[in-house]
Amino acid sequence: MTLIQAGEVVLFQGDSVTDCGRDYRNSKDLGNGYANMVAGMFNALYPNQRVQFYNRGISGNRVVDLQSRWQEDCIDLKPNWVSILIGINDVWRRYDSNDPTSVERFKDGYRDLLRQTKERLGAKLIICEPFVLPVPEDRRTWREDLDPKIQAVRDLAAEFEAIYIPLDGIFAQHSTQTPPAYWAEDGVHPSVAGNGLIARAWLQAVQAIS
């Protein structure tokens, strides 16, 4: 039986990987990515649970952007579960805009989000690991910046006793059998199959599927 109970509210938060083209004018639109896949599969498997899913991912966001809108886009929605996938833009901006985010600032900001969520809502946390695949090849240089941030996210998951989904490892594992571009053509934004991989890992993490 799934960990998510009848009548609960689940919120997806993050950047473009979560956003995935959602219509900001429609508060119930889930986009075209893993959030939509999760909601569709979960509600097909557990139709009597009447679980409500929201997506508030916004393309380009970093941790600091989530902090600036956490009241409106998290606290005010009163979710029972908050799923966060954030961090790749905190890495990317170092390389395309010379605007780096230190590990310390990243971790402190992320901790603030988790602390608010626990103290103000008592919500349960699902933390998804940020990831990058080596497509194109120069993405490999991002590991220097990303890997310490992944470790910070792991530390926070332990600190807040969150459910943790190791997406970087999952994508790396599957990329040993199938070319990385199959899962994400630019190394960052998942394909349909890549979104399916995230959705499956998410549903397994909340024990909705085996």
Side-chain angles (χ1 to χ4, degrees):
M1 177 57 70
T2 177
L3 299 176
I4 300 174
Q5 302 301 305
E8 290 192 317
V9 175
V10 178
L11 170 66
F12 295 103
Q13 264 291 2
D15 50 37
S16 57
V17 180
T18 301
D19 179 339
C20 211
R22 70 180 180 88
D23 182 355
Y24 296 170
R25 298 165 298 181
N26 179 357
S27 66
K28 295 185 178 180
D29 188 73
L30 294 168
N32 303 309
Y34 77 89
N36 190 51
M37 292 180 179
V38 165
M41 183 61 72
F42 186 94
N43 284 327
L45 292 171
Y46 303 95
N48 296 324
Q49 296 282 66
R50 296 293 193 271
V51 171
Q52 178 69 56
F53 291 88
Y54 290 107
N55 183 353
R56 291 296 183 271
I58 294 182
S59 181
N61 269 196
R62 295 186 276 187
V63 164
V64 66
D65 300 303
L66 294 192
Q67 286 181 277
S68 70
R69 60 185 182 84
W70 208 242
Q71 178 67 46
E72 178 182 1
D73 285 345
C74 178
I75 305 300
D76 290 352
L77 295 173
K78 296 181 172 59
N80 305 102
W81 293 83
V82 178
S83 174
I84 305 174
L85 171 51
I86 198 71
I88 196 59
N89 290 313
D90 294 86
V91 173
W92 202 340
R93 296 296 86 82
R94 168 181 171 178
Y95 297 97
D96 71 354
S97 304
N98 193 29
D99 184 15
T101 301
S102 70
V103 175
E104 293 74 23
R105 185 183 180 196
F106 173 80
K107 190 172 185 179
D108 288 347
Y110 208 137
R111 180 183 283 112
D112 176 57
L113 297 174
L114 301 177
R115 180 190 54 76
Q116 286 191 59
T117 305
K118 293 300 288 185
E119 290 181 358
R120 302 178 65 187
L121 295 173
K124 293 170 280 289
L125 299 169
I126 300 170
I127 295 179
C128 301
E129 187 172 82
F131 61 89
V132 72
L133 297 175
V135 193
E137 192 68 20
D138 67 359
R139 296 284 193 259
R140 292 186 186 277
T141 64
W142 293 16
R143 306 287 346 170
E144 177 187 6
D145 196 283
L146 178 61
D147 288 350
K149 290 183 170 69
I150 287 176
Q151 187 57 56
V153 174
R154 291 173 179 169
D155 292 344
L156 289 169
E159 180 181 336
F160 285 87
E161 300 181 338
I163 292 175
Y164 190 75
I165 304 177
L167 293 181
D168 193 59
I170 289 170
F171 276 108
Q173 175 191 11
H174 283 79
S175 293
T176 65
Q177 305 298 320
T178 308
Y182 176 80
W183 304 111
E185 287 187 2
D186 66 353
V188 173
H189 299 96
S191 62
V192 171
N195 274 295
L197 207 59
I198 298 173
R200 185 175 67 181
W202 198 100
L203 289 164
Q204 288 172 334
V206 299
Q207 300 176 25
I209 61 173
S210 58

